[in-house]
Amino acid sequence: MVETVAFVGEFIGGVAGLGTIIYFAVQLRANLNANRAQALAAWTMAAQAEKEALYRDPELSRLYREIVLEGKEPVGDEFVQFYALSTQFMNTWQLAFIQHRLGIMDSRLLDRVSSGYAIYLRSKHMLHWWREVGRGQYDLEFVDYVEKQLKGAD
């Protein structure tokens, strides 16, 4: 009889332990999903902020159109503005890359994001900025990734 009670107690303890593990796994997954959603929201806000800057600031819009799309040579203060704009774009792209590396952003989304940024990066002056200045500002894994994106389009 005592052995039976001990067996039942062990069985109940085992079931309770398994239940606790399952509960923690569910909670961990929910927390991970919430963190992923928060990180993707942060990236989305950063990407939206850079687009809004172009839409709302006529000077930045002109700069983007003339230098990136039309290939005009930047002069005077345009260099500073263009370098700042280029850095902002690349920072947002790097954030997406880091989120992918951490498992927050899936490969398909990173590919879609990268295709848009790679178009910008292939412009004459942006590519010059990347080769002369930009590469030195970023994580080596990201630099390698960007270089592969550029080679993939050649």
Side-chain angles (χ1 to χ4, degrees):
M1 177 74 179
V2 172
E3 290 178 5
T4 304
V5 171
F7 175 75
V8 170
E10 283 183 37
F11 178 77
I12 291 172
V15 169
L18 181 61
T20 300
I21 290 171
I22 291 171
Y23 172 78
F24 283 135
V26 168
Q27 291 301 312
L28 181 63
R29 184 177 178 102
N31 190 30
L32 182 60
N33 287 338
N35 288 341
R36 282 184 177 153
Q38 187 176 18
L40 286 174
W43 178 83
T44 302
M45 288 173 45
Q48 187 61 32
E50 77 184 20
K51 288 176 181 70
E52 284 183 12
L54 287 174
Y55 301 147
R56 294 179 186 207
D57 186 337
E59 182 64 18
L60 275 181
S61 296
R62 180 195 61 76
L63 186 75
Y64 179 83
R65 179 179 42 79
E66 290 179 356
I67 296 174
V68 175
L69 301 179
E70 298 170 4
K72 176 185 173 263
E73 194 71 35
V75 294
D77 289 345
E78 290 178 341
F79 278 106
V80 175
Q81 292 174 309
F82 177 69
Y83 278 24
L85 182 65
S86 300
T87 300
Q88 181 180 354
F89 275 36
M90 294 306 290
N91 287 348
T92 306
W93 190 5
Q94 184 181 34
L95 178 60
F97 175 78
I98 290 168
Q99 289 183 347
H100 174 263
R101 191 169 57 188
L102 295 173
I104 296 168
M105 181 180 285
D106 70 28
S107 295
R108 290 175 302 168
L109 180 55
L110 180 64
D111 290 345
R112 286 195 305 269
V113 165
S114 296
S115 66
Y117 284 104
I119 290 168
Y120 173 70
L121 186 57
R122 287 184 199 105
S123 70
K124 175 185 169 186
H125 298 296
M126 179 60 190
L127 191 56
H128 176 77
W129 171 85
W130 174 250
R131 300 270 192 242
E132 299 300 319
V133 179
R135 280 195 294 205
Q137 298 178 12
Y138 297 96
D139 173 90
L140 290 178
E141 275 187 71
F142 177 64
V143 170
D144 289 343
Y145 176 78
V146 170
E147 291 296 329
K148 286 177 187 170
Q149 296 296 309
L150 291 173
K151 285 179 185 161
D154 294 340

